[in-house]
């Protein structure tokens, strides 16, 4: 990505919340090389930000790819198949404290096609 101050910003599949969207916009505005894919859990797709801590590797270091809900101490927290994990996450999102509009948007974005692009499921 070139450092172009006039670059337009578009919502993409990796910017899934207002907070995350603002972060994506600010990074792009600064001209930083920003890989949105690395800013979300590569198992469930949740944004990795101050509200969702990163998982941990076996040596105790933070995981660069996975959230604490999916990955701790170098192991998966839930040993689920792709379909089971998709259903589990969808149910968790629907039971969250998001408003109806946010849930509707998320249900349109959080598809099996989206999840298959995450590193764990390739």
């Amino acid at each position: 990505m070139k450092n172009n101050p006039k670059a337009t910003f578009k919502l993409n599949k990796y910017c899934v919340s207002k907070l995350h969207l603002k972060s994506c916009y600010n990074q792009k505005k600064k001209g930083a090389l920003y890989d949105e894919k690395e800013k979300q859990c590569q198992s469930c797709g949740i944004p990795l930000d101050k509200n969702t801590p990163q998982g941990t590797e076996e040596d105790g270091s933070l995981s660069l790819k996975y959230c604490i809900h999916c990955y701790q101490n170098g192991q998966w927290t839930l040993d689920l198949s792709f379909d089971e994990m998709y259903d589990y996450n969808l149910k968790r999102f629907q039971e969250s404290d998001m408003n109806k509009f946010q849930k509707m948007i998320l249900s349109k974005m959080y598809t099996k096609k989206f999840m298959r692009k995450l590193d764990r499921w390739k």
Side-chain angles (χ1 to χ4, degrees), residues 28-89:
K28 193 157 190 169
K29 187 176 173 184
K30 292 175 187 174
L33 293 177
Y34 183 73
D35 184 3
E36 291 96 354
K37 185 177 179 184
E38 294 303 318
K39 297 296 182 184
Q40 68 187 55
C41 177
Q42 293 299 298
S43 175
C44 69
I46 194 169
L48 293 175
D49 55 25
K50 65 181 180 180
N51 298 321
T52 307
Q54 293 168 279
T56 54
E57 299 294 345
E58 194 172 348
D59 64 2
S61 63
L62 291 178
S63 170
L64 299 176
K65 291 179 146 189
Y66 305 108
C67 72
I68 197 166
H69 305 293
C70 294
Y71 196 71
Q72 293 180 20
N73 301 317
Q75 297 180 9
W76 301 116
T77 56
L78 300 169
D79 187 23
L80 301 175
S81 71
F82 173 84
D83 289 324
E84 291 169 333
M85 185 69 152
Y86 176 80
D87 292 339
Y88 173 81
N89 288 330

Side-chain angles (χ1 to χ4, degrees), residues 86-102:
Y86 176 80
D87 292 339
Y88 173 81
N89 288 330
L90 199 57
K91 182 179 178 189
R92 191 175 63 161
F93 293 147
Q94 293 302 325
E95 292 173 351
S96 74
D97 62 351
M98 289 186 280
N99 64 44
K100 288 182 181 181
F101 179 74
Q102 291 170 319

Side-chain angles (χ1 to χ4, degrees), residues 13 40 45 109-118:
K13 64 185 172 208
Q40 68 187 55
M109 294 175 62
Y110 197 76
T111 63
K112 288 186 177 185
K113 182 178 178 182
F114 162 80
M115 199 167 144
R116 286 222 184 269
K117 293 180 181 179
L118 299 175

Side-chain angles (χ1 to χ4, degrees), residues 13-39:
K13 64 185 172 208
Y14 300 120
C15 299
V16 295
S17 71
K18 285 182 182 179
L19 179 64
H20 193 236
L21 176 61
K22 186 175 181 180
S23 173
C24 290
Y25 175 76
N26 288 337
Q27 290 291 336
K28 193 157 190 169
K29 187 176 173 184
K30 292 175 187 174
L33 293 177
Y34 183 73
D35 184 3
E36 291 96 354
K37 185 177 179 184
E38 294 303 318
K39 297 296 182 184

